[in-house]
């Protein structure tokens, strides 16, 4: 996520970046190849793993924020709400946003953080400071990797918004840098911390679902109005649809299902196949809401309305993964998990147990009461008070800060960030090659076992 980080980066710069990234997908294999080339499939040179590596324990956690538009400002409030944190620096290309974030910090009782707003790369000056430990990055997607890499190289842990990367090479860049610098790169996948998701995770770990077989995940969210806005994510996010055709935003749905299935703890994603529908809805919205002479009116979009991918894991489990941000449908992440003893399906939340009397779904409320996750038992009321997507944002912030205070490893590491982001470029490759299977790299270099 993240918004407004256009600065001096022009629309043409965005298109050049997107075009180069798209072209790079085809380089490792020939035009007639049916699978991704070997470098995409196998581990690269060995690096010391970051899997299970604890944070250095700190009673007070020092943070800096890069990008304080809508999403970054919301995260700032959530982290401040956890208590015992110091925000020492703020960066954004829009000075008024820096000033607003500084006011939020001082209103919460903190010292006014230093401000950085002198162009696209002033974040580098912020990251060279020595008075914070964590860089929270909430900027447009194409900035996540360079900012995270620079942060780790300056000795900071990087907490980045989603997706962590848009290309396989960039996924590896995050992994390699994290391993080399011994700093964590955490993708802040807030949906892993929703109450439904965490309740289901707890039930799975307690054996209620038996052996898992299949999951379904999605990001279905009508964003047409946001994509055509002249502010926030409208300044950049629509451009992704001009050159890319695949699942542009896989992690919100995929992250929780990956957690359910224990990815990187005895299993991992093996390969995917992907197909996209024709592009129709974004063009229709463009025609209905722009006029000739408006640069938007002449845009042509490459991304199909709905992308559907099927992921197979090494242990044989399957995941259906979908993306649609332009269709007239209610919000839905699917969030389905099925095992030998039970199936859960969200939106609305419901469950079916093997052997139950009625041949219909049961409501989920009583299961939340019985199996509520320990995180939600501890801070659920405070999370709901603080808001943030029903409380999940606060639980995520609280848990990340708790991991640092206790000196333990994060729930989500750089290997999760890479693997959950990888369906973006892999789906693009598969769509471009007639839905051919695209292999996931083993970002853990064998440590998933």
């Amino acid at each position: 996520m993240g918004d407004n980080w256009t600065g001096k980066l022009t629309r043409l710069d965005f298109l050049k970046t997107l075009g180069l990234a798209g072209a790079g997908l085809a380089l490792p294999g020939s035009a007639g190849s049916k699978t991704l080339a070997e470098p995409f499939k196998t581990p690269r040179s060995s690096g010391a793993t970051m899997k299970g590596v604890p944070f250095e324990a700190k009673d007070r956690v020092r943070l800096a924020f890069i990008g304080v538009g809508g999403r970054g400002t919301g995260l700032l409030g959530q982290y401040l709400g956890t208590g015992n944190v110091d925000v020492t620096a703020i960066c954004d290309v829009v000075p008024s946003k820096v000033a607003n974030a500084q006011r939020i910090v001082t209103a919460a009782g903190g010292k006014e953080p230093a401000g950085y707003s002198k162009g696209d790369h002033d974040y580098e000056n912020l990251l060279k400071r020595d008075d914070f430990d964590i860089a929270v990055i909430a900027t447009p997607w194409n900035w996540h990797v360079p900012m995270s890499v620079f942060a780790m190289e300056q000795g900071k842990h990087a907490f980045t918004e989603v997706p962590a990367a848009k290309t396989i090479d960039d996924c590896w860049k995050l992994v390699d840098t994290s391993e080399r610098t011994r700093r964590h790169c955490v993708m802040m996948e807030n949906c892993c911390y929703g109450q439904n998701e965490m309740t289901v995770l707890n039930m799975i770990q307690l054996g209620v679902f038996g052996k898992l077989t299949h999951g379904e995940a999605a990001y279905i969210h009508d964003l047409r109005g946001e994509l055509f806005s002249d502010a926030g994510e409208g300044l950049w996010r629509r451009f992704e649809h001009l050159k890319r055709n695949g699942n542009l935003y896989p992690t919100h749905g995929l992250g929780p299902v990956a957690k359910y299935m224990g990815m990187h703890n005895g299993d991992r994603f093996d390969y995917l196949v992907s197909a996209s529908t024709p592009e129709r809805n974004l063009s229709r919205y463009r025609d209905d809401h722009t006029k000739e002479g408006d640069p938007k009116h002449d845009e042509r979009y490459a991304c199909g309305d709905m992308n559907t991918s099927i992921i197979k894991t090494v242990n044989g489990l399957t995941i259906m993964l979908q993306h649609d941000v332009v269709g007239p449908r209610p919000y839905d992440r699917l969030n389905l998990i099925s095992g030998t003893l039970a199936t859960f399906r969200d939106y609305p939340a419901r469950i079916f147990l093997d052997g139950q009397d009625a041949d219909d779904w049961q409501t989920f409320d009583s299961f939340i009461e019985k199996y509520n996750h320990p995180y939600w038992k501890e801070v659920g009321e405070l999370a709901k008070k603080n808001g943030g997507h029903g409380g999940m944002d606060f639980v995520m912030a609280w848990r990340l800060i708790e991991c640092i205070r206790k000196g333990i490893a994060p729930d989500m590491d750089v290997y999760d960030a890479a693997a959950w982001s990888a369906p973006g470029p892999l789906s693009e490759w598969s769509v471009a090659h007639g839905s051919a299977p695209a292999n996931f790299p083993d970002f853990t270099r064998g440590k998933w076992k």
Side-chain angles (χ1 to χ4, degrees):
M1 293 187 193
D3 53 17
N4 291 321
W5 205 276
T6 51
K8 297 179 181 179
L9 197 62
T10 67
R11 179 174 181 275
L12 181 59
D13 292 329
F14 265 106
L15 299 185
K16 287 180 179 178
T17 300
L18 292 170
L20 288 172
L25 285 169
L27 291 177
S30 66
S33 175
K34 289 301 182 183
T35 58
L36 283 175
E38 203 68 8
F40 279 70
K41 190 168 101 173
T42 58
R44 310 204 298 193
S45 58
S46 297
T49 187
M50 287 298 289
K51 186 172 171 57
V53 174
F55 287 109
E56 179 184 353
K58 294 180 179 294
D59 183 54
R60 289 193 70 85
V61 181
R62 304 177 302 171
L63 306 170
F65 281 74
I66 305 174
V68 283
R71 181 57 179 163
T73 299
L75 286 172
L76 174 63
Q78 300 299 329
Y79 280 101
L80 287 171
T82 67
N84 291 324
V85 300
D86 296 316
V87 177
T88 63
I90 301 284
C91 182
D92 198 286
V93 291
V94 181
S96 62
K97 294 186 181 297
V98 173
N100 180 60
Q102 289 172 319
R103 287 192 294 269
I104 292 172
V105 174
T106 56
K111 179 182 176 181
E112 181 177 287
Y116 292 80
S117 58
K118 295 180 180 179
D120 289 354
H121 290 272
D122 207 15
Y123 74 87
E124 295 176 359
N125 294 317
L126 175 148
L127 290 171
K128 292 176 183 177
R129 297 173 64 98
D130 60 4
D131 58 354
F132 69 95
D133 313 292
I134 311 293
V136 180
I137 298 165
T139 54
W141 304 342
N142 57 301
W143 288 99
H144 292 174
V145 171
M147 289 176 173
S148 296
V149 166
F150 197 84
M152 290 185 281
E153 289 176 339
Q154 301 305 308
K156 315 302 193 298
H157 301 291
F159 289 2
T160 182
E161 260 298 342
V162 304
K166 299 197 303 179
T167 71
I168 296 299
D169 281 345
D170 274 350
C171 287
W172 274 118
K173 189 177 294 184
L174 294 176
V175 171
D176 292 342
T177 305
S178 180
E179 292 180 344
R180 173 171 50 83
T181 63
R182 315 310 296 161
R183 290 296 178 265
H184 280 294
C185 179
V186 174
M187 184 173 67
M188 295 181 290
E189 186 38 78
N190 57 335
C191 293
C192 290
Y193 293 91
Q195 189 170 28
N196 288 347
E197 288 85 351
M198 297 217 76
T199 300
V200 170
L201 178 62
N202 194 33
M203 294 170 68
I204 290 169
Q205 293 172 341
L206 292 172
V208 176
F209 282 78
K211 294 184 177 181
L212 301 183
T213 57
H214 175 71
E216 296 181 10
Y219 188 69
I220 297 171
H221 189 186
D222 187 356
L223 295 178
R224 288 174 292 180
E226 179 71 19
L227 292 175
F228 274 85
S229 172
D230 291 322
E233 294 186 6
L235 297 174
W236 58 270
R237 188 164 177 171
R238 187 181 71 261
F239 301 149
E240 300 285 342
H241 292 253
L242 294 173
K243 291 289 185 180
R244 303 175 63 195
N245 186 10
N247 189 322
L248 308 186
Y249 201 62
T251 73
H252 279 337
L254 186 59
V257 173
K259 281 293 187 183
Y260 299 157
M261 291 182 170
M263 293 298 107
H264 298 159
N265 289 287
D267 200 359
R268 71 172 180 87
F269 302 146
D270 191 8
Y271 65 90
L272 65 71
V273 295
S274 187
S276 292
T277 69
E279 186 286 308
R280 288 176 180 156
N281 275 309
L282 204 57
S283 292
R284 185 171 67 87
Y285 192 92
R286 174 206 62 206
D287 292 343
D288 291 345
H289 292 82
T290 65
K291 298 179 180 179
E292 291 187 13
D294 184 338
K296 299 174 187 176
H297 190 74
D298 296 326
E299 292 176 348
R300 298 295 179 266
Y301 310 108
C303 193
D305 290 359
M306 170 68 81
N307 175 268
T308 300
S309 301
I310 301 294
I311 298 173
K312 193 75 175 287
T313 76
V314 170
N315 289 346
L317 281 64
T318 57
I319 304 169
M320 183 186 76
L321 177 65
Q322 293 187 314
H323 173 270
D324 180 356
V325 296
V326 296
R329 290 179 57 177
Y331 183 89
D332 196 347
R333 292 199 308 273
L334 296 183
N335 192 23
L336 180 146
I337 190 69
S338 188
T340 55
L341 299 179
T343 296
F344 171 82
R345 170 72 159 90
D346 216 336
Y347 301 94
R350 52 210 190 272
I351 190 169
F352 189 91
L353 302 178
D354 185 39
Q356 70 179 49
D357 292 336
D359 189 20
D360 199 0
W361 296 98
Q362 298 184 54
T363 58
F364 198 59
D365 291 347
S366 63
F367 291 86
I368 292 178
E369 294 176 8
K370 183 176 181 179
Y371 295 105
N372 197 19
H373 194 279
Y375 297 175
W376 273 85
K377 288 181 180 178
E378 184 165 351
V379 297
E381 291 305 314
L382 187 58
K384 292 176 181 177
K385 180 180 178 182
N386 277 270
H389 296 99
M392 65 173 64
D393 291 358
F394 180 84
V395 176
M396 177 187 70
W398 167 82
R399 175 58 181 170
L400 286 169
I401 296 301
E402 181 189 49
C403 288
I404 299 170
R405 288 178 182 149
K406 291 184 175 181
I408 59 178
D411 299 335
M412 304 176 292
D413 56 28
V414 70
Y415 309 108
D416 298 320
W420 301 354
S421 299
L426 295 184
S427 65
E428 291 179 68
W429 189 94
S430 181
V431 169
H433 291 80
S435 300
N439 296 297
F440 280 84
D442 178 7
F443 295 109
T444 74
R445 312 180 205 267
K447 301 298 184 187
W448 62 273
K449 300 175 183 179

